[in-house]
Amino acid sequence: MKIPFVEPVMCLSVFALTLNSPLTTQYVYRRIWEETGNYSIALESNTSECAMNKSSPIFAFQEEVQKKVSLFNLQMDISGLIPGLVSTFVFLSHSDHGGRKFPLILSSVGALANSAWLCLLSYFALPIQLLIASTFIGALFGNYTTLLGASFAYIVDRCKEKKQRTIRIAIIDFLFGVVSGLTGLSSGYFIRGLGFVWSFLIVTVALSVNLIYILFFLEDSMKEPSSQNISVSWTEAFKNLFNRTYMLFKNASGAQRSLCGLLLFTMITYFFVTIGVSPIFVLYELDSPLCWDEVLIGYGSALGSVTFFTSFLGIWLFSYCMEDIHMAFIGTFTTMVGMAMTAFARTTLMMFLVRLPFLFTVMPLSVLRSMISKVVRSTEQGTMFACLAFLETLGGITAVSAFNGIYSATVAWYKGFVFLLSAVLLLIPAISLCVVRYVSRNAGSYVLLIQEESSEDTSDR
């Protein structure tokens, strides 16, 4: 019996991703710490091996470790950049003909292989440089963006009514927040109670169950995959997708082209900043003066994950009294405030309190996706979705690499500089939203026409 629900895939994937990310960062941090000097970190320790006194010898040592970890993360991110872009672009475009299970299976296989390799690497204490090679190989099978894009495309295929589609997407956002929050909350206890090997093994088991569900239980959203996928090569898939993307903008009117371009620019610049700075939080919390241990880092990760749920509530409540663009303004402004506050957080209480302005961080991304979908026809949604997935992959990996490099270069003289820079960079999408507001007023009648045509296309099908 086949099951037409992709939600279990998302839950298991989010659990694995949310647990694996802090595990990998802290494992690399501990390995580099121990390899750089004669200091060791005990897993059962209740405090972080961290010095707050700048005159202490260990203070200069931990600054060196911070630089090395940041640079190592940069190397891992760069190693997965090109294969991640290619695989996401090809797999998602191919899914229009071959079915959505194709990218779901491949991205799950890549994640499973990478997790299993982390188990072996931590158990046998192999050189951590091998992580760079595993990141490259794993990216050839796709990444989290590939799985997320295929999951949303699966929902779009299954739900013909817009209201039903919105509800199921909202459920995914809700599940994302709940699962990631609970996993982040418990990640520190996994490390302290089980150690890295068993924790990585739990991730591997979860991904194995996920792959089994996709292979044997998940129903394909496309009942009759097109036979064209047998004869179409990867080169042709690239050419076809590029051609459809080109025609999407070429055939658009001036108003649609301007508005769509502005919305894409706004979303990607906002995504670039928020995704790029997110891994820096763990390094910032491990270093002095915070000196957090794995349990506190788990609490912080859980609070950060709550933003998916609070952003969903914010959209639901604000939609009754304001337009989409105003919700995007609120999310951008509060995130900007949160970044500035983080730069000056020097105590545990302050670091927890700075999470409050981040409660609506995801809201601009959800709202901007909705706004973009309203300026393209229903027959162009797939092409636009592939463009978004490609830009998110490119922007995400580039952003994480760039912010890791900036943090490595500035951690010695001011640890909070990267967060101040993020607050300043968020002015770009804020200004872009102002321009979107002006352009959308002039293009309002055209957007309304597009929505009417999309409704007619949907009813015809």
Side-chain angles (χ1 to χ4, degrees):
M1 179 181 176
K2 297 292 185 177
I3 303 173
F5 295 102
V6 77
E7 284 81 356
V9 176
M10 288 298 300
C11 287
L12 287 169
S13 300
V14 169
F15 169 78
L17 176 72
T18 309
L19 182 57
N20 193 65
S21 180
L23 278 175
T24 305
T25 301
Q26 292 182 71
Y27 178 74
V28 170
Y29 190 90
R30 290 173 187 269
R31 285 288 303 271
I32 291 180
W33 179 286
E34 293 172 355
E35 292 175 5
T36 303
N38 295 322
Y39 304 99
S40 62
I41 303 176
L43 283 175
E44 65 273 8
S45 174
N46 290 324
T47 58
S48 172
E49 190 73 29
C50 182
M52 300 184 187
N53 185 2
K54 292 186 178 182
S55 61
S56 171
I58 200 174
F59 184 87
F61 171 76
Q62 72 190 24
E63 296 297 319
E64 181 183 357
V65 171
Q66 286 269 319
K67 287 183 179 180
K68 288 185 176 181
V69 173
S70 184
L71 288 174
F72 185 82
N73 289 340
L74 175 62
Q75 293 171 355
M76 283 202 301
D77 295 329
I78 291 177
S79 69
L81 175 60
I82 301 301
L85 283 174
V86 173
S87 60
T88 298
F89 205 45
V90 171
F91 296 162
L92 287 180
S93 62
H94 182 267
S95 69
D96 287 335
H97 303 289
R100 308 303 180 189
K101 289 181 66 172
F102 176 72
L104 288 174
I105 291 171
L106 287 180
S107 58
S108 298
V109 168
L112 176 59
N114 192 53
S115 179
W117 177 246
L118 280 169
C119 288
L120 295 174
L121 188 140
S122 58
Y123 182 78
F124 294 105
L126 300 173
I128 59 172
Q129 285 73 21
L130 293 174
L131 270 177
I132 298 175
S134 67
T135 302
F136 176 84
I137 295 173
L140 291 173
F141 292 86
N143 51 30
Y144 179 69
T145 307
T146 312
L147 187 137
L148 184 65
S151 298
F152 279 112
Y154 184 97
I155 290 176
V156 171
D157 292 339
R158 300 293 307 185
C159 301
K160 300 306 179 184
E161 296 181 6
K162 289 186 177 181
K163 186 175 181 180
Q164 183 187 12
R165 186 185 307 171
T166 302
I167 291 174
R168 285 194 64 176
I169 290 176
I171 290 174
I172 287 229
D173 287 333
F174 173 76
L175 291 174
F176 194 107
V178 172
V179 175
S180 59
L182 292 175
T183 307
L185 188 65
S186 59
S187 62
Y189 293 102
F190 274 108
I191 299 174
R192 180 174 293 181
L194 300 176
F196 286 106
V197 177
W198 283 101
S199 298
F200 283 130
L201 183 60
I202 289 174
V203 175
T204 304
V205 171
L207 290 171
S208 300
V209 173
N210 189 41
L211 183 59
I212 291 172
Y213 177 82
I214 297 172
L215 285 171
F216 301 107
F217 297 98
L218 182 65
E219 181 181 358
D220 203 320
S221 60
M222 301 176 69
K223 298 295 184 181
E224 297 179 0
S226 173
S227 59
Q228 293 177 354
N229 65 317
I230 299 175
S231 60
V232 174
S233 65
W234 297 122
T235 305
E236 287 298 319
F238 264 114
K239 188 182 298 184
N240 291 339
L241 183 56
F242 273 119
N243 183 61
R244 292 197 301 268
T245 305
Y246 171 73
M247 296 304 294
L248 173 66
F249 288 93
K250 180 182 178 181
N251 295 335
S253 68
Q256 183 195 18
R257 192 183 302 116
S258 300
L259 188 56
C260 190
L262 280 169
L263 288 170
L264 283 172
F265 174 78
T266 305
M267 180 174 174
I268 295 305
T269 51
Y270 182 83
F271 182 83
F272 181 90
V273 177
T274 54
I275 293 298
V277 78
S278 57
I280 306 300
F281 275 87
V282 175
L283 293 177
Y284 188 72
E285 291 159 354
L286 284 168
D287 201 9
S288 64
L290 294 173
C291 295
W292 280 14
D293 59 14
E294 58 271 10
V295 173
L296 285 175
I297 289 175
Y299 290 157
S301 177
L303 287 175
S305 300
V306 170
T307 184
F308 291 96
F309 177 63
T310 53
S311 294
F312 166 69
L313 287 180
I315 293 173
W316 180 61
L317 293 173
F318 294 149
S319 62
Y320 290 102
C321 57
M322 64 180 67
E323 298 177 7
D324 287 352
I325 196 166
H326 295 147
M327 290 188 278
F329 269 121
I330 291 174
T332 303
F333 178 74
T334 54
T335 303
M336 193 186 307
V337 172
M339 293 294 182
M341 290 175 62
T342 305
F344 300 102
R346 294 293 180 267
T347 64
T348 295
L349 177 61
M350 186 65 180
M351 198 62 193
F352 281 127
L353 289 176
V354 299
R355 256 64 180 197
L356 292 175
F358 290 119
L359 290 178
F360 298 133
T361 297
V362 180
M363 192 160 65
L365 295 174
S366 301
V367 169
L368 287 168
R369 287 181 191 276
S370 175
M371 294 175 69
I372 290 173
S373 68
K374 293 175 183 177
V375 296
V376 295
R377 295 178 174 85
S378 60
T379 54
E380 300 169 333
Q381 296 285 342
T383 302
M384 180 56 71
F385 188 81
C387 290
L388 275 176
F390 177 81
L391 290 174
E392 285 177 354
T393 302
L394 176 61
I397 298 176
T398 305
V400 171
S401 303
F403 277 90
N404 269 298
I406 294 171
Y407 183 73
S408 175
T410 59
V411 64
W413 58 274
Y414 187 59
K415 300 178 182 67
F417 174 81
V418 69
F419 297 105
L420 284 179
L421 177 64
S422 300
V424 174
L425 290 176
L426 284 174
L427 288 172
I428 298 175
I431 295 172
S432 182
L433 281 172
C434 295
V435 181
V436 168
R437 175 69 174 172
Y438 173 78
V439 174
S440 61
R441 286 180 176 177
N442 297 333
S445 58
Y446 180 79
V447 172
L448 182 60
L449 178 62
I450 289 295
Q451 292 174 343
E452 291 175 352
E453 291 179 355
S454 297
S455 300
E456 292 176 359
D457 292 339
T458 304
S459 61
D460 290 341
R461 289 198 299 270

